[in-house]
Structures are given as C-alpha cells and as structure tokens.
Amino acid sequence: MEWKWKSTVRFVFAYLVGFTFISVALFLFLRFYKNRNFSEEKLETMISTVSNLRDKTDDPCRYAIYGEPATAKLQYIKVNLYCGSGSKSINTMDLRAIKDNTVGGALKELARVNNFQAIIKNRSVTLGERKDLRGEWLCMYNRKIVTDYSQSLSEKGVIDCVNGLEEKLVDKFYETL
Amino acid sequence: MKLYSKKILILVLILVVSAFGYRLRMRDFNKVPFPGESLDEYSNAWVGLSMIRLGVPVGMSGLPGYRFYDSRYINVDRVYQETAKGNTMQINYPWFDHPPMMGVLVGGFGYFKGARVFEDMTASIVRKPIILFASVSIFLTGILAWQVFGPLAGIASTLIMATSPIMVINSRSVQAENGFLPLFLLSLIFLRVYQNKNNRIWLFLCAILTGLALLFKLSAGAILIAILALMLTDNNKKFSVRLQECVVLGTVSISFLGLFFVMGLALDSQTFFRVFLSNSNRAYGIGLGAIADLINTVKAIGGKSLADGWPLVGWMGIIALIRGRKNSAGKYIWIPLLSYLAIYLFFGSESFAWYRFPFMPFLMITAGYLATLVYRNLRYMPISILSLLIPLGINLDKFREVNNMPGLTGAWRLSMFGLLGISLLLSSGRIRKNRYARLAVYLIMAGVFSLTIYSNWLRLSMINVDYWYHSS
C-alpha cells in the first residue's frame, strides 16, 4: 500500500478522535475508582499493618533498628531496651515517624517495627513475651523514671527501658551503663 | 540443512539460552542484591498495589511538590534490621514521579499472589516478574542480534546477555528500565520487519510498543528518538514516505504518554504539574565526566560496582560500528544506544546503576558481534580474541581472589602468547587461505568463547550473600 499524505492525515485525525474518547473514558474511570476505593484509613492500614510474612518475636531485644536516621537530622530519639543477661536492643528512631508523639507511642512504634508485643497501661509497660523476662519493666525518659506514658517526646530524647529494674537501683544502673 | 529448519534450530537455541539465563537470575534472587539496597524496588511495587486497592498511586519520592508527605517505618523484608540504615521512608501520594506501568505490573503480580499491605511486597514477590521480563529481554537481544549481524552473533549475544555477571545481578532489580527494555528491543525488531516487508501492521505494533514503553518511564523517549532516526535514515524510501511514517509512529506512541497526563488530571492535577516541573528541575548529578564514568565503571544496585568486561567490550565495539558502512545494519544497534545516551546525558539526575540498564543489550550485542567477527574473516581474529580476553581475564582474576588456582598464571601467560601469536600469523593471506589453518582457528576461537562464558558462570557462582556483603 502506498503512502499518501491525504490518507495519512485522515488516519491521524481519526486516531486522535478515538484517543480522545479513550482519554475521557479513562479519566472518568480513574475518578470513579478513586472515589469508590480511597480512604485515609485504608491507606493507613496498608502502610502500618505488619505482614504475616514477617516473623513475630517474643524477644524485644532480638531486633534493633540498625543505623542512624540521617534524614531525621535532629528530630530523633534513642530507644534502648535492656532485657537482662547482656541482651539489649539499641534503636534510633525518627520522631516524624512516631505519630503518637509520646513515650508510650514510641515504644508501640518500636514494637510494631521490630514486631514484638507491647502492652502499655497508665503506669506500667510490658514488652515481649520471652519466658525468662520478669514481668515488670522500668522505663526512664532522659534518665527520669516515666510515670506517665503519655508524656510528650522532644528532639534527641532518650528512652531506656530495663527489664526487672527496681526504682531504687536506677542511679546504679546508669553508673554501670 | 533447509533454511526453515536452520531458523528453527537457532530460535530453539536462543530460547534455551534465555531459559538458562532465567535459571541463573532465579538463584538467590531475593537475597542478592540485598532487599532494600534500592528502596525504589518497593516503591514501584507499592505504587501498583495502592493503585489497585485505593485507586491512587502511593510511593516514595524525594521530589518537592507533593501535598501529602509522610515519614514512615515500613519494615518490609526486615530492611530496618539490614539495609535501610535507620532512615524512614518518605511516602507521597498521589505519586507522579514516573508513569505507573512498572508499578501496575509488579503491584498487580503481588496482588495476584495475595499481597494486600505494603509489607507483603517482599523481594521474593516483587522480583519474580522482573526476572521474567529480563529473560524476555535476553531472548529479544538474541533475536535482534540475529536480525542485524546473523545467527552466530545472535547466539553469542544471547549467551553473553544470559551469563554476564552484571546483567544477572542488575536484571533482578525492580526498576522501570528493566520493564521497558523488552519493549525497546521488540520495537526495534518490529521496525526492522516493517522495513523489510513493508507491511504497515508492523509499524503500528512498533508504535504501540514505543508508546507502552513511555508509560514505564519518560526516559523511554529514547526509543521514540531511535525509531524516528532509524526511519529517517532509511534511504530506500522517498523522504515524503519516511516523513509520513514518522508522523504516524509519533502520533500513536506519544498519545500513550497522554494517558499519563490523563491520570494526573483525574487524580490531582495541581500535584501532577508541580511534580512534573520539579522533575525537570532535578540536579545534574551524573556530572560532566558521565561518559568516562559509563565506560570505566560497571555499577550494580546499592551503589556497588561489579567488575565485568562485557560492557567495556561493547563500548569499544560501538565505535567500530559507528564508523561502519553508510546504511549498514549496525545502525540498528548504535543509533538506539546513542539515542539513550542523549537522554541519559540530558536528564542526568544521579549516577544510579539502573539508569545504565538500557545500554546493556546493545553493548552485549556489540560484544557478541566482535567475538564472532573471526568467523566472517580470519583477519579479524585479533579483534575477536581481544574482545574475549577482557571479560575472561577479569572473571578469572576475580575468581582467583577467592579460589586457589595453582598454575593459572602460567597457563594464562602461555595461552595469551599462543593466541596473540596465531593472530599475528593470520596477517599472512596465505595462511588464512589454508583450510586446516582456518578450521583450527575456528575451533580455538570456539574454545576461547566457551571458556569465557564458563568463566561468567564461575564468577556468578561466587556471588552469594557473603560476597555481596563484602563487595563495595
């Protein structure tokens, strides 16, 4: 078949008309599909749900967030867990990623990331389910004992949670740290 | 042998080698490169999954212009215990950094496999479709090389593409470049078929594939540039005909890009145009030494490099191809390569490994062409032997670093002396005409080629988690 400008121009015109119809249909479909399916809650679920493919651990000191979040600049906190027998988990967390900006919120987020259980009540916290852990944990924020887990976080703060530590031994703990 | 059965045999050979390439890529595919070394792999997959589940692409971006911006820990593949270096992931939506085709394919595959949340999109899931794409690319590389340089170069190029260490490692990565590569190769194959048969259906298929490639990444515009250049330089047709072909191809393929704009307008037009503008204002991160860097270094995912001689051989061969006869078939290799080089140098945002992927099939074809040049004329033996000794030497050297191989140095020195001596002897026309000398050289060269491919395999057998951890 020979190429003639007249038929080429006719083809291009017909194609563009057809394409316009397809574009309009796609536009309407995408709008409709978004309106029907999108919600902030669903997005949050997709982002924050821990996958079944990832192993859950009973040991809060088994994993740590490795590395320092350089992109956080000064907006970071340290969360250190001491599980006894020398096992510990040292973590630096980006404050921007802790949506509940409290001591309890940070511990919950760490538990979600490293996938262990964290139960936080008004004045007490239980981290992990490892059998040799003692039930009670004592947490300090910037070296002061946490009595309220809804206490707000600030830049460069440090949370230390120690398994089985008694309040009277806090100073000694920091001396030996 | 009848021509038909010979063609079938070559096709089967290329297919078998591609299947072998697939096997090589599947070994430890979810471990090397380390999951999370390039977080873009996850971002691409999340874009697709979120489009399917939410109707809005959600992904990671470093670009300004987004209204929704969030820092999150998404511990997929336990990257926070390994490769993420503690940095949170910057989530944006609607994500318009690039067209969404790569995401839709990978995300769709993940959804089909049962993934519903971002953490489900592990390397074990998201890399599988990419390896399939890469295997198709191996096959198409062989077909294109066969079309352009004949069956021997076709098989050699397929073998190189299938076993080259850098190709095996990089083609596991979920990057848009790996997505549009098969389309790049297939559109060139269709163009050549069109130019030989003059049946317009092939032109339309070529246009559709070029358009689809644009939906993977805008840098696939190199395909359009290459196809237009190849059509315009086809001196067998009148200029008016060539121009009409370009108008038809350009209209059809660019219209596909229009679909990306339609998506942007439908989901969030303001963000779309802001991101589009900020994409065009990216820093020129590859630097002015980009061409030297391209030739000198062989980059892998995660900012690492992996010594591999094949790309270097390819670059050397490209120079030879460019100075080939006017309108020679070699232009189907060097014009696409230079088209992508133009795009690479123009956009030039960062010197990431994946920006180099689209060069690779053309470099591998050129390397295959050089390696088999001796079978066209014996006087090309020095070219073929040098093109094989570069990758062979690198592979053996790296293999020797971790394996004790006594006697290798002696054997290498002697064989090099012998091979280069034979090359010199072949400068005599009388020796070249001798039937036995010819047969001996063909056998020797087949042996050296086989040994080089085997050395690729040896090298690949070294690349495990431990090796990757210690490489830089």
Side-chain angles (χ1 to χ4, degrees):
Chain A
M1 218 163 93
E2 259 187 66
W3 284 87
K4 285 181 183 160
W5 274 110
K6 197 177 170 186
S7 53
T8 302
V9 170
R10 198 179 295 159
F11 166 79
V12 168
F13 182 74
Y15 179 83
L16 289 177
V17 170
F19 175 76
T20 307
F21 278 111
I22 292 171
S23 299
V24 171
L26 180 72
F27 180 89
L28 294 174
F29 170 75
L30 287 172
R31 273 279 169 99
F32 167 77
Y33 196 75
K34 176 191 165 189
N35 291 339
R36 196 185 157 118
N37 292 291
F38 185 79
S39 71
E40 296 277 353
E41 295 75 31
K42 208 167 162 185
L43 173 63
E44 181 56 35
T45 307
M46 283 183 76
I47 291 174
S48 60
T49 303
V50 174
S51 172
N52 293 330
L53 301 170
R54 190 146 67 87
D55 63 314
K56 190 170 174 115
T57 177
D58 59 357
D59 181 0
C61 291
R62 180 165 178 198
Y63 296 113
I65 297 175
Y66 163 78
E68 303 291 328
T71 53
K73 294 177 183 162
L74 296 177
Q75 288 181 285
Y76 68 86
I77 56 157
K78 297 262 183 193
V79 184
N80 306 320
L81 310 182
Y82 299 90
C83 301
S85 316
S87 76
K88 58 188 174 186
S89 169
I90 309 293
N91 307 273
T92 311
M93 298 182 76
D94 189 329
L95 264 178
R96 296 170 301 169
I98 301 168
K99 299 302 159 196
D100 174 9
N101 191 35
T102 61
V103 174
L107 291 172
K108 275 187 180 165
E109 181 63 1
L110 182 70
R112 189 189 68 79
V113 175
N114 291 346
N115 208 9
F116 62 86
Q117 193 185 64
I119 301 167
I120 295 163
K121 287 176 185 162
N122 293 340
R123 292 192 52 141
S124 73
V125 59
T126 309
L127 304 173
E129 301 154 284
R130 210 175 79 188
K131 279 179 186 150
D132 60 332
L133 289 174
R134 284 188 245 166
E136 309 80 36
W137 287 76
L138 189 67
C139 291
M140 282 72 71
Y141 181 57
N142 292 338
R143 300 202 168 198
K144 287 183 185 144
I145 294 170
V146 178
T147 51
D148 178 9
Y149 283 92
S150 60
Q151 183 183 343
S152 294
L153 297 168
S154 57
E155 284 178 4
K156 298 189 280 182
V158 181
I159 300 172
D160 294 304
C161 287
V162 188
N163 184 242
L165 185 72
E166 290 173 32
E167 288 190 18
K168 59 184 179 188
L169 296 173
V170 169
D171 290 339
K172 199 175 175 190
F173 167 75
Y174 280 113
E175 276 170 24
T176 54
L177 197 65
Chain B
M1 198 188 289
K2 281 182 188 170
L3 187 68
Y4 181 70
S5 52
K6 190 183 167 191
K7 278 187 176 174
I8 295 283
L9 179 70
I10 295 162
L11 206 63
V12 169
L13 267 173
I14 292 176
L15 202 63
V16 168
V17 175
S18 306
F20 178 62
Y22 174 79
R23 286 293 300 271
L24 286 178
R25 281 154 180 76
M26 284 301 285
R27 203 185 60 189
D28 283 346
F29 77 97
N30 54 353
K31 294 176 186 156
V32 177
F34 294 145
E37 275 191 302
S38 164
L39 292 174
D40 282 6
E41 289 195 84
Y42 299 122
S43 178
N44 281 324
W46 296 342
V47 164
L49 187 68
S50 54
M51 276 203 78
I52 293 166
R53 291 209 64 204
L54 306 171
V56 173
V58 181
M60 284 189 282
S61 170
L63 293 175
Y66 284 101
R67 273 191 284 196
F68 182 87
Y69 175 91
D70 200 3
S71 290
R72 301 302 288 260
Y73 288 107
I74 302 171
N75 202 5
V76 54
D77 280 320
R78 281 209 175 272
V79 290
Y80 284 105
Q81 276 71 57
E82 286 166 14
T83 47
K85 294 172 186 165
N87 287 313
T88 51
M89 300 184 183
Q90 314 306 314
I91 299 293
N92 300 90
Y93 79 83
W95 185 88
F96 292 131
D97 278 23
H98 300 293
M101 189 58 97
M102 184 79 247
V104 169
L105 282 172
V106 179
F109 180 82
Y111 188 83
F112 176 70
K113 287 279 176 187
R116 293 295 179 270
V117 297
F118 285 175
E119 271 200 14
D120 288 337
M121 299 300 263
T122 58
S124 302
I125 289 177
V126 299
R127 286 185 179 170
K128 274 184 187 162
I130 284 304
I131 291 176
L132 207 61
F133 268 55
S135 308
V136 174
S137 292
I138 301 171
F139 179 75
L140 296 174
T141 301
I143 300 293
L144 183 65
W146 179 16
Q147 269 189 343
V148 174
F149 296 125
L152 213 54
I155 294 165
S157 306
T158 319
L159 273 164
I160 296 169
M161 184 83 170
T163 60
S164 152
I166 192 70
M167 284 311 302
V168 172
I169 300 300
N170 280 348
S171 56
R172 291 170 182 162
S173 180
V174 187
Q175 304 292 349
E177 283 79 0
N178 275 333
F180 74 66
L181 252 184
L183 302 176
F184 199 165
L185 295 164
L186 200 55
S187 59
L188 290 170
I189 291 167
F190 284 169
L191 177 72
R192 229 176 121 70
V193 175
Y194 167 70
Q195 290 185 329
N196 288 336
K197 297 196 170 175
N198 223 9
N199 185 340
R200 283 185 201 182
I201 190 80
W202 297 106
L203 182 71
F204 290 123
L205 285 173
C206 175
I208 289 168
L209 291 175
T210 307
L212 278 175
L214 287 170
L215 288 178
F216 280 81
K217 202 169 185 177
L218 294 185
S219 58
I223 307 174
L224 183 61
I225 295 171
I227 301 278
L228 292 177
L230 285 166
M231 288 201 302
L232 285 172
T233 53
D234 181 10
N235 292 330
N236 297 322
K237 291 176 181 166
K238 284 187 209 162
F239 183 70
S240 159
V241 172
R242 286 184 257 163
L243 211 57
Q244 287 177 69
E245 288 172 344
C246 289
V247 168
V248 168
L249 185 121
T251 307
V252 174
S253 50
I254 292 172
S255 70
F256 277 77
L257 191 60
L259 298 177
F260 179 43
F261 283 83
V262 170
M263 180 186 132
L265 291 174
L267 298 180
D268 185 343
S269 55
Q270 279 187 354
T271 304
F272 180 79
F273 286 109
R274 270 204 303 265
V275 173
F276 199 76
L277 285 176
S278 64
N279 230 334
S280 59
N281 288 331
R282 281 189 180 198
Y284 196 71
I286 59 168
L288 303 184
I291 296 178
D293 190 45
L294 259 182
I295 298 169
N296 286 337
T297 58
V298 185
K299 291 197 171 176
I301 299 295
K304 293 178 176 172
S305 57
L306 189 73
D308 187 347
W310 293 111
L312 175 64
V313 174
W315 283 114
M316 282 159 51
I318 284 293
I319 297 164
L321 281 187
I322 293 173
R323 74 167 295 279
R325 277 178 294 122
K326 198 181 170 192
N327 223 19
S328 73
K331 71 179 182 180
Y332 285 87
I333 305 303
W334 67 260
I335 287 182
L337 186 133
L338 287 194
S339 303
Y340 186 73
L341 182 63
I343 291 284
Y344 177 82
L345 294 176
F346 181 75
F347 286 118
S349 62
E350 291 296 335
S351 183
F352 292 133
W354 50 92
Y355 291 166
R356 298 168 174 218
F357 295 173
F359 291 118
M360 291 301 169
F362 305 104
L363 296 177
M364 300 297 155
I365 289 173
T366 314
Y369 168 68
L370 292 189
T372 55
L373 213 49
V374 66
Y375 293 97
R376 290 177 180 231
N377 192 324
L378 283 187
R379 71 192 168 93
Y380 293 135
M381 187 181 169
I383 298 177
S384 293
I385 202 76
L386 285 174
S387 67
L388 292 176
L389 291 184
I390 293 171
L392 178 64
I394 290 175
N395 284 341
L396 289 180
D397 203 41
K398 294 288 169 188
F399 190 71
R400 197 179 55 163
E401 281 177 11
V402 284
N403 295 281
N404 186 23
M405 294 176 81
L408 178 68
T409 311
W412 175 262
R413 285 161 80 177
L414 272 177
S415 52
M416 287 314 96
F417 186 75
L419 286 170
L420 294 172
I422 294 169
S423 300
L424 286 173
L425 281 177
L426 288 173
S427 58
S428 153
R430 190 187 274 181
I431 295 175
R432 283 207 303 270
K433 279 176 191 156
N434 185 298
R435 203 153 56 108
Y436 295 108
R438 258 206 324 261
L439 188 67
V441 170
Y442 288 160
L443 287 174
I444 289 170
M445 287 307 294
V448 177
F449 183 76
S450 307
L451 185 65
T452 312
I453 295 298
Y454 179 65
S455 74
N456 280 348
W457 186 80
L458 281 180
R459 185 80 194 288
L460 278 169
S461 65
M462 290 164 54
I463 303 173
N464 52 22
V465 172
D466 194 40
Y467 181 90
W468 197 250
Y469 181 79
H470 290 103
S471 64
S472 54

